[in-house]
Amino acid sequence: MLSLGMHSRRSANSRLAHALLVLLLCVVPALQAQPAPRATVASPHPLASEAGLSILLAGGNAFDAAVAVAAALAVVEPYGSGLGGGGFFLLRQGGSSPSYLFIDARERAPLKARPDLYLKGGQAQRRLSLDGPLAAAIPGIPAGLAELSSRHGRLSLEQSLAPAIRLAREGFPVDRVYQSRAQMRLAALRDDAESARLFLDAGEVPAQGFVLRQPELAASLEQLASAGHAGFYSGELATRLVEGVNRAGGIWSMEDLASYQVVERIPLQVSLADDRQLITAPPPSAGGVAIAQSLLMLQQLPWREAERAQRAHLVAEVLRRAYHDRRLIGDPDYVDTPLPRLLAPDYLEGLTASISSRKATPSTSLGTPAALHEGEDTTHFSILDGDGNAVAATLSINLPFGAAFTVPGTGVLLNDEMDDFAVDPAGSNAYDLEASQANLVGPGRRPLSSMTPTFIDSADQLASFGTPGGSRIPSMVLLAILEYLDEQPVQAWVAAGRYHHQFHPDRIQHEPDAFDEDAMATLRERGHTLDNVGRRYGNQQVILWHKSSGQVDAASDPRGIGQSLQAPAAKP
């Protein structure tokens, strides 16, 4: 009986082991069967998308590809970004428990900067903060590229920068977007001999197809490629930059460059309905806060069921309140931004309760206007690799072609981001927006920004959003997110008509085709003033990863010339 009992126990154990083995054999293929996403790049210029995809196909990850795309855009979109500018990189590090990181490569004010830098005789001299070397803050893009490559990439910086170096040396054909931006800044470009030589053709906007070569920029990129961060912020190139800026009337120092570092920040992360997570830009971006507040307010309102005009009314009202709070936000290294209060449920419930479903709220009834002034010619791209790593990056030099000042012998076109500060502490800017004490000019400070690279992550999907567009960036990203939440295809996210409210001036700005006549009449009945801006704006680049199938959808804004590219599908 004993031997029989032991045999029975062995048999039972054997059956249990067999069952566990069968279960394991069923589960493991199921886990393995979940396909990896196809590596995808969506950028505002086909040559930049090609550069990013080539790096992915060479074994690089999303972070290497981000270096390649950002550097290529510095060459082919000098009106939107460049080595002389700055930006924000939102990273998703893939895996079973993804993590997120925000790299703040925003420009910093020179150490000699003071709140009255642009005041002469007590009056703000706006031209000084817009054109020329005094308008330029210390660039952050070179440091951002070096950081991405050394801390997060698989390939060397030399490999990731190679496509941009080739584009700068061999040249690229001028397109219609380049022409329109150059025409906008033609006078400023002509005023600087080096910029005129590099970006114009005999003092005029180049013809379409004109091959624009930048050998000096290629050499500066090679310095960055060989020496990393030090290749730009110290040594021969740094000396040339400082001497060139100061010779023309700027206030840079070698210490400004030597002390520049990117800041790794924790992204702003907010729980939304349906177990979705909003991961977006923290201060010194004001955009992430505005989007978070707007979405949390809209969750309390029937926006999804509303027809076009009523939805626009509700969106305008939440934006009005979110932009009102912008005045409280500044560089978090210098200003205590009250984020917990701005995102507190009871505070947002109070804001939502103040919204009438039938009547616009006059902005004057909400108090002090927010400070707001940014150039619109920024750039954005989105990247996803086969491991679930992702980058959403928004980069800028502020106005088209930045300060329109290129440091001789370097090919580095400088930003005019100093104008993003409150350059007139006692007055208002060119858009009649009053100054923010949280965003005053100060030594080493980063100016407030609306740049808002954004993810929405969930168990089923990852969506990536972002666009250029200055103060309209948050509203554009919000409208794209609403299309996503409405389960519309990615092409609809980037193509939908756009509208915007920024608290002051108290009006809904909109594209010509955003509303039909009935919708406009309804909005006017609600008490809104409509302002047709007379053109389409923005240049969104979006990606949607369906995690269960591995399918990846991407779209580039039809308003631009961008292109979304994918790696070839894996062979079965």
Side-chain angles (χ1 to χ4, degrees), residues 282-342:
S285 170
V289 179
I291 289 172
Q293 287 184 309
S294 297
L295 286 171
L296 293 172
M297 282 187 274
L298 284 170
Q299 284 185 172
Q300 305 174 53
L301 297 167
W303 67 270
R304 197 187 301 270
E305 301 82 11
E307 44 79 27
R308 176 70 171 169
Q310 180 64 6
R311 178 180 293 193
H313 165 70
L314 296 176
V315 170
E317 289 302 304
V318 300
L319 285 171
R320 181 198 306 275
R321 288 155 176 79
Y323 276 76
H324 170 262
D325 284 345
R326 181 187 168 104
R327 73 196 190 283
L328 302 173
I329 303 172
D331 183 344
D333 298 330
Y334 293 85
V335 175
D336 185 15
T337 298
L339 283 184
R341 181 171 73 82
L342 295 178

Side-chain angles (χ1 to χ4, degrees), residues 83 215-225 231-232 237 409-412:
L83 291 191
E216 294 89 351
L217 179 59
S220 293
L221 285 164
E222 287 172 339
Q223 285 281 346
L224 181 64
F232 187 90
L237 179 54
T410 69
V412 178

Side-chain angles (χ1 to χ4, degrees), residues 1 33 71 79 95 138 164 188 257 352 377 532 540 569:
M1 291 295 294
Y79 49 82
I138 306 304
L257 290 172
T352 309
D377 284 280
N532 184 340
Q540 296 221 44

Side-chain angles (χ1 to χ4, degrees), residues 104-127:
D104 177 355
R106 184 71 160 148
E107 302 91 336
R108 292 179 63 198
L111 295 173
K112 293 180 181 177
R114 296 292 184 270
D116 62 353
L117 181 62
Y118 302 106
L119 299 182
K120 304 295 181 185
Q123 298 295 315
Q125 306 297 309
R126 293 300 310 286
R127 179 73 182 271

Side-chain angles (χ1 to χ4, degrees), residues 494-506:
V494 297
R498 291 172 183 155
Y499 53 92
H500 169 76
H501 200 295
Q502 62 180 44
F503 178 78
H504 182 78
D506 190 353

